[in-house]
Amino acid sequence: MAKCVVLHSTVPYSQDHDVALKNALVPLPDLFAVVGVDCEAWEEAIDWLCVESSVYCNTTSHPQESLQEVITFAEQWCELKQWDKDVRVLEI
C-alpha cells in the first residue's frame, strides 16, 4: 500500500467515519495528510485512532490548501525519504 495517504474530506468528521479511517491506516502509512472540510478534526481523529492502536503515523491537516497542493506535499515527502512517489488519495 501507499507510503503516504491524502484524505480529501467533503463532509465534517463524525465518529461514524472511524471504520473507514481504521481501514485507511492498514497498512500503516508514513504520512497521513488531510485537506478539505473539517480537516483538523479529521486529523485529530486519526491521531486518536493511532494512539488507541499503539501505532505511530505522521499526520498533517491543510485547511488553507488545495487538494493538489497537499498531493504535491505528500509527493515531496516521499522524495525526501528517497521513495517512489507513492501517494494514495481518499475521498470521504
Side-chain angles (χ1 to χ4, degrees):
M1 275 307 220
K3 299 274 190 188
C4 298
V5 172
V6 174
L7 171 64
H8 181 222
S9 60
T10 59
V11 296
Y13 167 75
S14 79
Q15 287 184 326
D16 296 339
H17 296 106
D18 283 356
V19 171
L21 289 178
K22 286 178 186 178
N23 290 337
L25 289 168
V26 176
L28 190 65
D30 190 65
L31 172 69
F32 202 117
V34 186
V35 62
V37 176
D38 207 19
C39 63
E40 291 149 324
W42 284 95
E43 180 194 9
E44 184 174 350
I46 294 161
D47 288 342
W48 280 110
L49 289 172
C50 288
V51 167
E52 291 168 6
S53 300
S54 298
V55 297
Y56 179 77
C57 177
N58 294 290
T59 62
T60 60
S61 61
H62 303 265
Q64 302 299 319
E65 296 174 59
S66 70
L67 174 59
Q68 188 53 56
E69 288 172 316
V70 179
I71 291 170
T72 299
F73 169 77
E75 290 173 342
Q76 290 173 341
W77 182 281
C78 289
E79 287 175 4
L80 286 172
K81 300 273 187 160
Q82 298 181 339
W83 300 330
D84 290 335
K85 291 181 182 177
D86 189 12
V87 178
R88 178 171 50 135
V89 178
L90 302 174
E91 298 270 342
I92 296 182

